[in-house]
Structure formats: C-alpha cells, structure tokens
C-alpha cells in the first residue's frame, strides 16, 4: 500500500485497541489514545525505510536518505544469507527484513528501552520522528512536495513538546500500563510495534505479498510472501486502496475513537 493508506490503517488500529481497552473496563487516558494513534500512524510508514522513494526515506532529508541506503544494504545482506532454495534471487532489500514481525518487535522494544533509559529528551525525539511521519502520512496533500520542509519539522517538534507535557501531568498516561517507578513511557514501543505490523499486513494484501513470518520457513522458502488468494489482492495505489480501503480505515478509526472515549 501507499503511505497515506498505511498511516490511516495505523491510526485506526490504535484507536481500535483503545476501543477494546474501554470495552474491557480499562479505558486509555485520552492523551494516550491520541498520542498512540499518531505514533502508530507514523510507525506504519517506518518499514519502508528500505526503499529510497518511500515517504520515510525523504522525510528527514540527507539523514533519512543515508539511513535508507544502510537499511537497504542490511536487509539485502540478511536476505542473501538466510534465503532457502525456493526463495528467488533479488537485487535489493525492499520488503524483506523491515517487513517482518522480528523487525517490528525489535524496533518497538528498542524504542521502549530508549524512552526509559534516555528520559525526556529521548521521549521527545521519538515523538518528533513519529509526528513528522504522521503529518506526512495523514496530511499527505498538504505536505506533498515538502518532505524536508522545515515547517513540517517545526509542527512536529511543537506537537511533540506539547504532547509530552500533557502526558507528564498526573493521570494523563506517562505511566499508562506500566506503573512501576522508572517505567514511564515504556508503553511507547507498543504503537510502534503495532504500526509496523499493520504496515506488513497492508502490504500482504497487495500483489507482491509480504514475508511477515520470517524466519519461519514455509516449504522451500524462508521469505514466503504471505497474502490472501491472488484474486483478492490489488496493486499499491489502485482504486481499491484509494476508494475502498482508505474510507474504511477512516470510518473504523472514527468508530474506534468514539468507543474508546465512551461516546458510543
């Protein structure tokens, strides 16, 4: 799928988690619901860091472009070293390592550790990165052509600063789910894991499929492209994605948010 659909699906997924939590009698504080949805929307773009034309690869200028090249080479090296006889030869690392459950868990766990160990500045950095991606994904029409625009970065930095301040207030969620001393913001890794997995599931719906289950072998392949039957798949950017899936994601997100806030 394309960036906007990925971001919408990420936000909808976190709002759905919020609705499930409310139904179970453990409602999220509204700042956690909002911040988590935005982080998840941004994280749902992150697996495409292995592709030079992706939104995330252009979002931070030379820094993200350089990181994209490193991730692409790393992904390709892992693919070559772990492929089985049934896996095809390829020339790049797109839709390999960063599109697996292993990567999602590692990135989420790393973010949680960074938030706990690095303190406020690490939290602000995590929020800033994902706010930039969320803006690029959810407001793609307004941000089109300005992936490195300083205005996007300023909006993301301002949003990150305000949201961190709101979360820090008692009862607003800095210690949501993990309440032991020193575990503030440990939960930040959860929307990051969810966003990456939602991205992978979205890509699995396209014609190429997605090797989400790596390194679990399936038959003669370790990088088996999981997906529905061929007749149910679509091309990225097709009318199915734009005219059907994106409106459905927006509807599900709205319903999930309303349920999470106990409006319905």
């Amino acid at each position: 799928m394309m960036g906007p659909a990925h971001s919408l699906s990420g936000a909808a997924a976190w709002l759905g988690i919020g609705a499930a939590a409310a139904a179970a009698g453990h409602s999220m504080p509204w700042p956690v619901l909002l911040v988590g949805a935005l982080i998840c929307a941004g994280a749902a773009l992150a697996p495409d860091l292995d592709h030079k034309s992706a939104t995330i690869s252009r979002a931070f200028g030379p820094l993200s472009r350089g990181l994209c090249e490193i991730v692409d080479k790393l992904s390709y090296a892992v693919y070559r070293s772990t492929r089985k006889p049934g896996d095809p030869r390829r020339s790049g690392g797109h839709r390999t390592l960063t599109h697996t459950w292993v990567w999602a868990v590692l990135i989420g766990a790393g973010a949680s550790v960074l938030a706990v160990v690095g303190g406020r500045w690490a939290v602000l950095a995590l929020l800033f990165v994902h706010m930039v991606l969320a803006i690029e994904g959810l407001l793609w029409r307004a941000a089109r052509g300005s992936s490195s625009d300083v205005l996007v970065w300023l909006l993301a930095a301002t949003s990150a600063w305000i949201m961190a301040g709101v979360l820090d207030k008692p009862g607003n969620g800095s210690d949501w789910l993990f309440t032991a001393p020193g575990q503030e913001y440990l939960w930040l890794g959860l929307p990051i894991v969810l966003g990456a997995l939602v991205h992978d599931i979205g890509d699995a719906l396209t014609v190429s499929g997605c090797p989400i289950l790596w390194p679990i072998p399936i038959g003669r392949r370790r990088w088996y492209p999981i997906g529905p039957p061929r007749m149910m798949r679509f091309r990225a950017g097709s009318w199915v994605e734009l005219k059907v899936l994106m409106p459905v994601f927006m509807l599900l997100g709205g319903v999930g948010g309303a349920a999470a806030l106990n409006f319905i």
Side-chain angles (χ1 to χ4, degrees), residues 24 84 216 219:
K84 294 187 70 176
I216 301 171

Side-chain angles (χ1 to χ4, degrees), residues 18-233:
H26 300 285
S27 298
M28 292 180 184
W30 71 263
V32 173
L33 185 69
L34 173 62
V35 173
L38 291 172
I39 291 176
C40 202
L45 297 178
D48 277 343
L49 188 57
D50 59 5
H51 194 292
K52 64 181 180 181
S53 298
T55 300
I56 185 174
S57 301
R58 296 179 281 106
F60 301 95
L63 178 61
S64 54
R65 287 195 293 270
L67 184 58
C68 169
E69 293 183 9
I70 294 173
V71 171
D72 179 47
K73 288 181 172 58
L74 171 64
S75 299
Y76 181 51
V78 172
Y79 180 86
R80 285 199 308 170
S81 63
T82 62
R83 62 184 289 267
K84 294 187 70 176
D87 292 312
R89 295 185 180 276
R90 54 187 304 150
S91 58
H94 181 49
R95 283 203 185 185
T96 56
L97 180 61
T98 61
H99 288 66
T100 66
W101 70 270
V102 174
W103 179 270
V105 171
L106 288 176
I107 292 299
S112 290
V113 171
L114 182 63
V116 172
V117 174
R120 180 174 177 79
W121 289 108
V123 169
L124 287 171
L126 289 170
L127 292 176
F128 169 71
V129 168
H130 289 90
M131 289 310 104
V132 169
L133 296 177
I135 292 168
E136 295 282 358
L138 297 174
L139 304 177
W140 75 94
R141 294 188 185 279
R144 182 178 295 171
S146 59
S147 295
S148 301
D149 194 331
V150 68
L151 293 178
V152 175
W153 298 348
L154 286 174
L155 177 58
T158 302
S159 300
W161 187 272
I162 292 173
M163 289 187 294
V166 172
L167 286 168
D168 276 340
K169 293 182 179 179
N172 276 5
S174 63
D175 60 349
W176 175 73
L177 197 60
F178 302 96
T179 57
Q183 292 184 350
E184 293 82 3
Y185 292 107
L186 186 61
W187 63 270
L188 285 183
L190 298 178
I192 293 175
V193 173
L194 180 62
L197 291 177
V198 168
H199 177 110
D200 296 345
I201 293 171
D203 278 353
L205 299 176
T206 63
V207 293
S208 300
C210 188
I212 304 173
L213 297 181
W214 179 88
I216 301 171
I218 299 178
R220 299 177 65 248
R221 306 183 69 169
R222 195 180 302 276
W223 296 89
Y224 188 88
I226 299 295
R230 290 285 178 182
M231 62 180 296
M232 298 177 61
R233 301 188 190 190

